[in-house]
Amino acid sequence: MLELELEEKGYDQRLLGNLNLQISAGDRLALVGPSGCGKTTLLNIIGGLDRAFKGQRRLADPEPKIAYMFQEPRLLPWRTVEQNLRMVCSCRNQALDLLDEVELLDAACRYPRELSLGMARRVALARALALEPDLLLLDEPLVSLDPSTALRMLRLVEKLLRKRPKMALVLVSHNPDDADRIGAQLLQFDTVTGEVLLPNNEKTASAGQLLV
Amino acid sequence: MLELELEEKGYDQRLLGNLNLQISAGDRLALVGPSGCGKTTLLNIIGGLDRAFKGQRRLADPEPKIAYMFQEPRLLPWRTVEQNLRMVCSCRNQALDLLDEVELLDAACRYPRELSLGMARRVALARALALEPDLLLLDEPLVSLDPSTALRMLRLVEKLLRKRPKMALVLVSHNPDDADRIGAQLLQFDTVTGEVLLPNNEKTASAGQLLV
Amino acid sequence: MSSRLRDYLAVTAGLVCIWQLAATLIADPMLPGPVAVFQSIVTEWRSGALLHHLGVTLRRVTIAFVCAMILGTLLGWVMGRSLRANRLLDPLLLLFLNLPALVVIILLYVWMGLVEAAAVLAVIVNKVPNVAATIREGARSLDPQLEEMAEAYRFTRWQRIRDLWLPQLFPYLMASMRTGLALIWKIVLVVELLGRSDGVGFQLHLAFQLFDVTSILAYSFSFIAIVQLIEWGVLQPLEKRARRWQGEMQHA
Amino acid sequence: MSSRLRDYLAVTAGLVCIWQLAATLIADPMLPGPVAVFQSIVTEWRSGALLHHLGVTLRRVTIAFVCAMILGTLLGWVMGRSLRANRLLDPLLLLFLNLPALVVIILLYVWMGLVEAAAVLAVIVNKVPNVAATIREGARSLDPQLEEMAEAYRFTRWQRIRDLWLPQLFPYLMASMRTGLALIWKIVLVVELLGRSDGVGFQLHLAFQLFDVTSILAYSFSFIAIVQLIEWGVLQPLEKRARRWQGEMQHA
Amino acid sequence: AKDAAANELPKVRVGMLQFGTAHWELAHIQQAGLDRKHGYKLELLPLANSSAGRLALTAGNVDWIVGDWVWAAERTLQGAPLRFIPFSTRIGEIMVPTDSGIASVADLRRKRIGVAGGPQGKSWQLLNAAAAKQGIDLAQAAEVSFGAPPLLSRELEAGRLDALLTFWHFAARLEASGQFKPAISAVSISESLGLDSRLPLLGYLANQQWVVENQTLASNFASSIYASKSDLREDRPWETLRPLMRVNDDASFQALRQGYRSGEPEALLSAAMLESANRAWPYLRHEKHPLPLAIFQGVSQGQGLTLYQSKAQQ
Ligand SMILES: Nc1ncnc2c1ncn2[C@@H]1O[C@H](COP(=O)(O)OP(=O)(O)OP(=O)(O)O)[C@@H](O)[C@H]1O
Ligand SMILES: Nc1ncnc2c1ncn2[C@@H]1O[C@H](COP(=O)(O)OP(=O)(O)OP(=O)(O)O)[C@@H](O)[C@H]1O
Ligand SMILES: [Mg+2]
Ligand SMILES: [Mg+2]
């Protein structure tokens, strides 16, 4: 549903390059790499937010619906939690159901300022899930959560994946267990050259086609 | 160096209560608890930023110098990384040394906008360490970092603790290993009542005195 | 609210007392006391003149205010968001910002005649650049992270306006509404002075020629009272609502 | 920079052409063409009158601008930060914001005589509330997280001003500087008209009495040219520097 | 039926200052029905100051305003020909405190003089010219401040001025207060310049085109003006005009009434008067262009300058 030919992307220096990435329905991908290696940058490119790169990004027809959970919560501070979800949800019930699932039904009427960071991130997760996308981009979705909450949130994502098996997922995570659980193919950033993206094909070769 | 008698703290509902906390030189404390249980709130109270609670907070004389690494980076967006550190550092060399230690010397002249989240958090860590405090408050300092960088950052904190053994440390972390490594006493938030703070005395009873 | 009202009354009463004291001490017809001014207001009110002129001026102020805010916000928005538009329009903005009110008024009156439309248009032309210059700064200071978020979630145009842009522009809008109302009313005074036969500006100038400071103050304070009512009835509730998310301390 | 200059020249040239065309078509002494205005500028320049009056007005504008910006920023800051101060000062702010320039000018002239100090003071009194109303909105919109950070790291007063508050107030300061310069110069015109014997306002009024639109435009454009120079020499470099952290797109 | 008839009458729109002197005679026209008697309906547009009047005439919103012929001449030279019919000979007065020693132009040296109407004011220009004849450059020799007339009256009262050249109705009020007196008569200034002191400076101004296109209407208007003037030589009509004068005491009332009457222009703009205007022109405007005498044709289409006959002349 999405094809990316990334020749080069960089700011002052070259950051990413020589990457051919094809994401098809049902693919699961996990981006792994050291801090500052360009994971978020790649996600931005995939998500279509960053167009300042050398290369091409092609979308299937009909265009896939993309949901992106950012690394920061990025909630609208002047809207309550519920209103923030309603920006994306089709109806009120869906918003409340999702809030229930991320265990924040009590906080529906609060403003983001009144949430802890972990709570705000869960709202952001709920918002990404609310869109019922064809391609889900999650940038470190489980960070800032205690292990048991993190597990429950992961299960929530799994549940959605089971419910919509055709949904593709790109996950950034520093926790290899998360990727394992979802059965995602690891996409390891080369830490030595700092620029080339290498597929870690040992795990699962079935999902996704990566051409370097 | 700090004594906290917290009778009650809450927003709409009671959040924390019945907590007597004494932090002396050299104490190491790790706050653990589910998302939204009040860890950051407690840190704010200890740090003296939140005075809207029932109870008392007493500081030793001379007042201990407190450094607080927030859960978000909270860098000044209009100042470069180096300038952000220089707000706290006494001299340029110290700032550059610290930047080197958090592996961000290259980014000294960048604005926070141009950093990845993990990098920004490392700058925030460097800023907290730069103060050379008597009491160091770290709110999830290793989050958003890949495991190996996280380890190196933890070592950095350890190094400082070794260098200044009289420094007290309060750490919020969801990773029990981190607390272990630093040899901190776990302070577990009760997840059932959601309000009382229980000391987990099995680990180390020597450091800190907790009276519930 | 009741404590606010009390505060307000206390401050106002204090001011009036100081004024009365000063007026009594100086005892100069150039500094009439509050009593004299109040009497003048009552007289003008009874004669119907106050209401008439105030009404006429208010109508002009309202039309000009609404038009200038809308046009100025749009213009400032475009200039703040598009580098290209800013480059093209910046010389024009600066020109109109600093063109003396007098020039615009004269030219419009001469071209269009001393008609109501010319008067209101002159005010709008004077005010639009001010609003635009303020809103432009706001449009340049938007949060790019939220912008990206809205992009990613494909917010509709309307959602962007209502939920993303307006809240961020809000302080700039408030600033330009508050200073704008004041500026517009000041320009309306000049406009009325130069080419209208009614309105507060006309009356103020007549009073000025007779050096009747009492009437001048009577008309001025009547208008200020109306602005105070707008402030209480519209602007402050609006501000309170719009700043609710910031918590208690912020909305004053 | 060079492409900016090119753009600017292109736009200006375009405007001048349109103006010349309109002037030629309408052929009315009320709409002199750019050539006539330019000739008038040259004549006035040669005679020394332009420089003299412009200088006098600029001095008044500068003094009033600096004083009003400083006082207004302080006042707006205090009102934006302290609920109590805002309650006490809000009625006063509203009063002075909406007191017609004429009233202030007359009263000050009457009390202090037709002296320079009265003229400048009148402008300051007119402008301070405008700055305050704008800055107050800025002071209410500060980031509480950064505030906490500064508190935790015990920033000195000076660090807070320079590194925390000024950058956040910057867009509000720019807005009030740009609209402020325009407003001050407009009020200076009225002040000069009513009680000074020199300055651009005085000259404008003379020209107005003769319906000499050419001179009016000549003086107006001379002043606008100076503002344009200030814009290029001071405000835009300042803005460019202060907005550098936002990246390329933002500083226009 | 009478109203209906009045509605059908052609309208003449006149812009005047709300509390200006012209308002008195115009109001009398309306009150005494002189307009209907002369076959037109007078419509008054109150304006806040003289600039507004000039704008109104230029913009075509009124047919007549009160102004001076110097401005009319200038507009005519700029290509917008105007016509002038005399309204008043009064110009400014120099007022000084009653105990002041200022009695002549020469005495003004090194004094603080306030000047209403700006440096282009007619009286100031004439005063300057008179001083120049005596070898005095007043602008240099005295400390001159220009300003708005009410503010200048205040300055004089506050003792911050030694002498004030101001419009006659402001002067009349000052004089009525008993603390000030006229120092140098306008007549003596005019005469020292060789000008006829009866030269009317102020008049009703209309666009020439309007006068030409509304010939009868224009002359009817002019006739009614002078009918009004002659009525106002009586005291009786003044009682109804008093509210328009905004006076608090009888002294001011009488001073204003007297001032108005003494300013009534000569009925006939004689050739000698035109010659006087011609001589005054260089003092009032230092321009190369000769005075366009056509403005003095008043409401007539032809060359004749005999426009009306006042009762005094009959
Ligand atoms: N606007 C920018 N200008 C210059 N450099 C930038 C900009 N944005 C990002 N970078 C740089 O690009 C690199 C990659 O950033 P990115 O945010 O993609 O890292 P990341 O892999 O997501 O790291 P983390 O795990 O810390 O989130 C970083 O070195 C960062 O400094
Ligand atoms: N300003 C506020 N108004 C109302 N409630 C608040 C406010 N700030 C925090 N809270 C609530 O207080 C509780 C504790 O918040 P806190 O930030 O201390 O949590 P935390 O333990 O740090 O969680 P996390 O691990 O997610 O950071 C949360 O339920 C939060 O919703
Ligand atoms: Mg990232
Ligand atoms: Mg927290």
Side-chain angles (χ1 to χ4, degrees):
Chain A
M1 64 179 81
L2 184 141
E3 205 180 313
L4 182 70
E5 274 172 35
L6 182 63
E7 284 169 39
E8 192 181 321
K9 166 71 191 177
Y11 296 96
D12 333 302
Q13 298 152 327
R14 185 181 156 102
L15 195 66
L16 305 171
N18 280 339
L19 169 73
N20 277 15
L21 186 64
Q22 273 182 5
I23 301 177
S24 322
D27 280 2
R28 277 113 215 240
L29 229 61
L31 301 185
V32 184
S35 173
C37 70
K39 304 179 294 296
T40 302
T41 307
L42 183 58
L43 231 47
N44 282 342
I45 291 175
I46 294 175
L49 296 178
D50 188 342
R51 291 167 204 270
F53 62 91
K54 254 201 219 143
Q56 284 234 309
R57 172 176 173 269
R58 275 181 295 269
L59 288 177
D61 193 45
E63 269 196 23
K65 223 203 255 176
I66 304 180
Y68 186 0
M69 177 189 171
F70 296 91
Q71 209 167 357
E72 311 85 15
R74 302 206 190 179
L75 304 177
L76 296 174
W78 37 82
R79 296 284 177 257
T80 62
V81 167
E82 189 190 329
Q83 285 168 339
N84 262 289
L85 277 189
R86 289 296 304 281
M87 303 296 301
V88 171
C89 292
S90 46
C91 67
R92 180 145 192 265
N93 275 344
Q94 193 201 359
L96 293 183
D97 283 352
L98 268 166
L99 272 185
D100 197 16
E101 290 196 290
V102 296
E103 301 161 17
L104 287 173
L105 203 51
D106 295 346
C109 299
R110 293 214 203 144
Y111 288 102
R113 188 180 66 83
E114 300 165 328
L115 302 178
S116 79
L117 183 61
M119 294 161 86
R121 294 187 55 83
R122 280 182 278 155
V123 177
L125 178 64
R127 181 174 57 183
L129 302 185
L131 205 61
E132 302 191 341
D134 303 311
L135 172 56
L136 180 62
L137 309 177
L138 299 176
D139 201 348
E140 308 199 34
L142 304 179
V143 132
S144 275
L145 296 177
D146 58 295
S148 100
T149 312
L151 193 64
R152 290 198 300 279
M153 293 306 118
L154 192 61
R155 288 221 190 96
L156 187 61
V157 176
E158 282 180 275
K159 196 175 105 188
L160 188 72
L161 284 174
R162 268 198 306 277
K163 211 176 90 187
R164 314 185 64 229
K166 301 203 75 167
M167 183 173 82
L169 171 76
V170 181
L171 173 83
V172 174
S173 172
H174 291 306
N175 190 345
D177 298 349
D178 298 345
D180 260 11
R181 243 192 123 88
I182 295 181
Q185 182 181 16
L186 275 187
L187 203 61
Q188 187 105 37
F189 280 67
D190 190 326
T191 45
V192 184
T193 67
E195 64 170 25
V196 191
L197 200 63
L198 292 172
N200 191 338
N201 279 334
E202 310 123 32
K203 293 236 159 170
T204 45
S206 62
Q209 246 188 304
L210 299 162
L211 313 163
V212 182
Chain B
M1 64 179 79
L2 184 140
E3 204 179 314
L4 182 70
E5 274 171 37
L6 184 61
E7 283 169 38
E8 193 181 321
K9 165 72 192 177
Y11 296 95
D12 334 301
Q13 300 153 326
R14 185 181 156 101
L15 196 66
L16 305 171
N18 280 338
L19 169 73
N20 277 14
L21 187 65
Q22 273 183 6
I23 301 177
S24 322
D27 281 0
R28 277 114 213 241
L29 230 60
L31 301 186
V32 184
S35 173
C37 69
K39 303 181 293 296
T40 302
T41 307
L42 183 58
L43 232 46
N44 282 342
I45 292 175
I46 293 176
L49 296 178
D50 187 342
R51 291 167 205 269
F53 63 91
K54 255 202 216 137
Q56 284 234 311
R57 173 175 173 269
R58 275 181 296 270
L59 289 176
D61 193 44
E63 269 196 25
K65 223 202 256 175
I66 304 181
Y68 185 1
M69 177 189 172
F70 295 91
Q71 209 167 357
E72 311 86 15
R74 302 205 191 178
L75 304 177
L76 295 174
W78 37 81
R79 296 284 178 258
T80 63
V81 167
E82 189 190 329
Q83 285 168 339
N84 262 289
L85 278 187
R86 289 296 306 280
M87 303 296 302
V88 171
C89 292
S90 45
C91 67
R92 182 146 190 265
N93 275 344
Q94 193 201 359
L96 292 183
D97 284 353
L98 269 166
L99 272 185
D100 197 17
E101 290 196 290
V102 297
E103 302 162 16
L104 286 174
L105 203 50
D106 294 346
C109 299
R110 293 212 203 144
Y111 287 102
R113 189 180 65 83
E114 299 166 327
L115 301 179
S116 79
L117 183 61
M119 293 161 85
R121 294 187 55 82
R122 279 182 278 156
V123 177
L125 177 64
R127 182 174 57 184
L129 301 185
L131 204 62
E132 302 191 340
D134 303 312
L135 172 56
L136 181 62
L137 309 177
L138 299 177
D139 202 346
E140 307 199 34
L142 304 179
V143 132
S144 273
L145 296 177
D146 59 295
S148 98
T149 312
L151 193 65
R152 290 198 301 278
M153 293 305 119
L154 192 61
R155 287 219 191 99
L156 187 63
V157 176
E158 282 180 275
K159 197 176 105 189
L160 188 72
L161 285 175
R162 269 199 306 277
K163 211 176 90 188
R164 313 185 63 228
K166 301 204 73 165
M167 184 172 81
L169 172 76
V170 181
L171 173 83
V172 174
S173 172
H174 290 307
N175 191 345
D177 298 350
D178 298 346
D180 260 11
R181 241 194 124 89
I182 294 182
Q185 183 181 15
L186 275 188
L187 203 60
Q188 188 106 36
F189 280 67
D190 190 328
T191 46
V192 184
T193 66
E195 63 171 23
V196 190
L197 200 63
L198 292 172
N200 191 338
N201 279 333
E202 310 123 33
K203 294 236 159 172
T204 45
S206 60
Q209 245 188 303
L210 298 163
L211 313 163
V212 182
Chain C
M1 188 61 201
S2 123
S3 102
R4 291 193 63 175
L5 193 63
R6 213 188 46 221
D7 266 26
Y8 179 80
L9 291 178
V11 172
T12 313
L15 286 177
V16 170
C17 285
I18 296 174
W19 177 16
Q20 178 65 62
L21 207 76
T24 319
L25 284 180
I26 299 179
D28 178 327
M30 289 302 120
L31 182 64
V35 178
V37 171
F38 186 72
Q39 275 168 354
S40 169
I41 292 181
V42 171
T43 317
E44 296 283 313
W45 173 280
R46 288 245 176 84
S47 78
L50 184 70
L51 265 181
H52 169 68
H53 292 292
L54 221 49
V56 170
T57 297
L58 261 185
R59 203 190 55 227
R60 287 177 195 139
V61 167
T62 311
I63 300 176
F65 179 77
V66 171
C67 295
M69 281 306 298
I70 292 175
L71 288 178
T73 304
L74 288 180
L75 185 66
W77 176 257
V78 169
M79 290 182 71
R81 299 279 292 180
S82 149
L83 212 59
R84 184 106 201 112
N86 188 51
R87 279 204 193 164
L88 293 180
L89 294 174
D90 195 46
L92 264 179
L93 182 74
L94 215 72
L95 175 72
F96 278 97
L97 198 57
N98 290 291
L99 207 56
L102 192 67
V103 175
V104 178
I105 296 170
I106 297 173
L107 293 182
L108 282 179
Y109 271 152
V110 169
W111 294 335
M112 302 175 60
L114 299 185
V115 292
E116 191 70 19
V120 174
L121 191 60
V123 182
I124 295 175
V125 170
N126 265 291
K127 175 63 190 160
V128 163
N130 265 38
V131 181
T134 304
I135 299 297
R136 179 173 64 175
E137 296 297 328
R140 282 174 180 167
S141 308
L142 297 180
D143 185 344
Q145 292 206 332
L146 291 182
E147 206 67 36
E148 269 187 4
M149 187 274 288
E151 181 68 30
Y153 285 99
R154 302 200 184 281
F155 276 21
T156 60
R157 167 87 10 164
W158 172 234
Q159 280 182 322
R160 279 177 210 229
I161 293 174
R162 197 192 50 190
D163 299 299
L164 185 67
W165 295 333
L166 272 186
Q168 291 186 73
L169 288 185
F170 179 79
Y172 298 87
L173 283 169
M174 281 314 277
S176 45
M177 284 206 274
R178 290 227 172 81
T179 63
L181 203 58
L183 182 65
I184 283 186
W185 129 259
K186 284 176 189 178
I187 301 173
V188 164
L189 293 188
V190 182
V191 168
E192 288 176 344
L193 158 69
L194 284 178
R196 302 272 76 205
S197 305
D198 49 12
V200 178
F202 181 75
Q203 290 296 101
L204 276 188
H205 204 70
L206 290 187
F208 173 53
Q209 291 196 324
L210 300 167
F211 237 49
D212 179 359
V213 180
T214 315
S215 293
I216 293 182
L217 290 182
Y219 272 94
S220 305
F221 284 133
S222 307
F223 187 85
I224 290 172
I226 291 178
V227 177
Q228 180 73 65
L229 289 182
I230 296 176
E231 178 79 13
W232 281 341
V234 183
L235 295 187
Q236 284 187 1
L238 197 71
E239 181 137 41
K240 198 159 185 156
R241 247 196 79 155
R243 286 194 185 274
R244 201 171 36 194
W245 64 274
Q246 293 183 316
E248 278 310 309
M249 259 306 287
Q250 296 300 318
H251 50 76
Chain D
M1 189 60 201
S2 121
S3 103
R4 292 194 63 174
L5 193 63
R6 213 188 46 220
D7 266 26
Y8 180 79
L9 291 179
V11 172
T12 313
L15 286 178
V16 170
C17 285
I18 296 173
W19 176 17
Q20 177 67 62
L21 208 75
T24 319
L25 285 180
I26 299 179
D28 179 328
M30 288 293 124
L31 182 64
V35 178
V37 172
F38 186 71
Q39 275 168 353
S40 169
I41 293 181
V42 172
T43 317
E44 295 284 311
W45 172 279
R46 288 245 176 83
S47 78
L50 184 71
L51 266 181
H52 168 67
H53 293 292
L54 221 50
V56 170
T57 297
L58 262 184
R59 202 191 55 224
R60 288 179 194 138
V61 168
T62 312
I63 299 176
F65 180 77
V66 171
C67 295
M69 282 305 299
I70 292 175
L71 288 179
T73 304
L74 289 180
L75 185 66
W77 176 256
V78 169
M79 291 182 70
R81 299 278 293 182
S82 149
L83 212 60
R84 185 108 202 112
N86 189 50
R87 279 204 193 164
L88 293 181
L89 294 174
D90 195 44
L92 265 179
L93 181 73
L94 216 72
L95 175 72
F96 278 98
L97 198 56
N98 290 291
L99 208 56
L102 190 67
V103 175
V104 178
I105 295 169
I106 295 173
L107 291 182
L108 283 178
Y109 272 152
V110 166
W111 294 334
M112 303 175 60
L114 298 181
V115 293
E116 189 72 18
V120 174
L121 191 59
V123 183
I124 295 175
V125 170
N126 264 291
K127 175 63 190 159
V128 163
N130 265 38
V131 181
T134 305
I135 299 298
R136 179 173 64 174
E137 295 297 328
R140 282 175 181 168
S141 308
L142 297 180
D143 184 345
Q145 291 205 332
L146 291 181
E147 206 67 35
E148 270 188 2
M149 186 276 287
E151 181 67 30
Y153 284 99
R154 302 201 185 279
F155 276 23
T156 59
R157 168 88 7 170
W158 171 235
Q159 280 181 322
R160 279 177 211 231
I161 293 175
R162 198 192 50 188
D163 299 300
L164 184 68
W165 294 333
L166 272 186
Q168 290 187 75
L169 287 185
F170 178 79
Y172 298 88
L173 283 170
M174 281 313 278
S176 43
M177 284 206 273
R178 289 225 171 84
T179 63
L181 204 57
L183 182 66
I184 283 186
W185 129 259
K186 284 176 189 178
I187 301 174
V188 165
L189 295 189
V190 181
V191 168
E192 287 176 346
L193 159 69
L194 287 177
R196 300 272 73 205
S197 306
D198 49 12
V200 177
F202 181 74
Q203 289 297 103
L204 277 188
H205 199 68
L206 289 189
F208 177 48
Q209 289 190 327
L210 302 172
F211 262 48
D212 180 358
V213 181
T214 316
S215 294
I216 293 182
L217 290 182
Y219 271 93
S220 304
F221 284 133
S222 307
F223 187 85
I224 290 173
I226 291 177
V227 177
Q228 180 73 69
L229 288 183
I230 296 176
E231 178 79 14
W232 281 341
V234 183
L235 296 187
Q236 284 188 1
L238 196 71
E239 180 138 41
K240 199 160 184 155
R241 247 197 79 153
R243 286 193 185 275
R244 202 170 38 194
W245 64 274
Q246 293 183 316
E248 276 311 308
M249 259 305 288
Q250 297 300 320
H251 50 78
Chain E
K2 198 177 134 198
D3 277 357
N7 280 341
E8 281 159 30
L9 291 175
K11 285 176 188 154
V12 175
R13 300 166 301 167
V14 181
M16 72 337 153
L17 302 190
Q18 178 86 343
F19 299 113
T21 48
H23 194 184
W24 307 339
E25 64 185 43
L26 290 166
H28 178 70
I29 290 181
Q30 283 185 322
Q31 281 165 11
L34 291 176
D35 50 348
R36 260 172 285 125
K37 232 178 270 175
H38 286 86
Y40 72 99
K41 185 167 184 302
L42 179 62
E43 260 184 17
L44 295 183
L45 182 70
L47 294 165
N49 68 11
S50 55
S51 305
R54 292 166 178 177
L55 260 181
L57 183 68
T58 310
N61 286 70
V62 293
D63 303 318
W64 293 96
I65 60 164
V66 175
D68 58 84
W69 56 256
V70 181
W71 184 72
E74 241 142 31
R75 288 291 291 151
T76 304
L77 288 175
Q78 284 172 17
L82 298 181
R83 291 296 185 86
F84 172 91
I85 54 178
F87 162 66
S88 172
T89 63
R90 295 299 305 250
I91 54 171
E93 294 279 359
I94 296 169
M95 301 301 293
V96 295
T98 35
D99 56 0
S100 166
I102 297 174
S104 71
V105 175
D107 294 337
L108 289 175
R109 267 181 298 191
R110 286 183 295 283
K111 291 291 190 300
R112 297 165 298 173
I113 323 174
V115 176
Q120 290 167 343
K122 268 49 73 181
S123 313
W124 168 245
Q125 305 253 13
L126 292 179
L127 179 65
N128 241 338
K133 276 217 158 160
Q134 302 181 21
I136 305 167
D137 181 358
L138 262 193
Q140 298 295 325
E143 192 183 312
V144 181
S145 46
F146 300 105
L151 285 175
L152 289 170
S153 295
R154 238 336 255 208
E155 293 284 289
L156 185 67
E157 283 168 357
R160 289 188 286 245
L161 291 176
D162 299 315
L164 170 62
L165 173 62
T166 190
F167 302 124
W168 75 262
H169 49 285
F170 285 98
R173 283 170 204 271
L174 285 172
E175 194 177 357
S177 75
Q179 293 168 307
F180 302 98
K181 62 175 188 194
I184 308 159
S185 78
V187 175
S188 72
I189 293 173
S190 294
E191 281 167 358
S192 79
L193 290 170
L195 304 176
D196 191 327
S197 67
R198 304 291 299 160
L199 173 66
L201 269 173
L202 282 179
Y204 289 91
L205 305 178
N207 285 310
Q208 171 167 297
Q209 194 188 357
W210 185 87
V211 173
V212 171
E213 284 169 5
N214 301 278
Q215 190 63 59
T216 40
L217 201 52
S219 41
N220 286 347
F221 171 70
S223 313
S224 66
I225 289 289
Y226 285 91
S228 176
K229 280 189 190 298
S230 73
D231 279 3
L232 289 179
R233 287 184 204 133
E234 317 287 334
D235 283 351
R236 198 181 25 80
W238 283 94
E239 288 311 314
T240 49
L241 295 181
R242 188 162 171 162
L244 292 181
M245 301 167 70
R246 285 275 169 123
V247 284
N248 300 323
D249 53 320
D250 280 337
S252 300
F253 173 63
Q254 276 153 18
L256 287 176
R257 189 173 65 189
Q258 185 48 38
Y260 169 81
R261 284 175 180 162
S262 69
E264 187 179 338
E266 292 246 343
L268 197 73
L269 270 185
S270 61
M273 200 70 85
L274 286 185
E275 187 44 39
S276 190
N278 234 341
R279 252 178 292 128
W281 174 243
Y283 298 131
L284 298 171
R285 278 299 164 273
H286 314 279
E287 290 194 22
K288 305 166 282 295
H289 300 287
L291 175 63
L293 284 169
I295 56 173
F296 294 110
Q297 284 174 23
V299 294
S300 75
Q301 208 157 15
Q303 296 299 312
L305 288 164
T306 317
L307 310 171
Y308 54 87
Q309 295 281 325
S310 81
K311 281 200 181 141
Q313 294 282 293
Q314 279 165 359

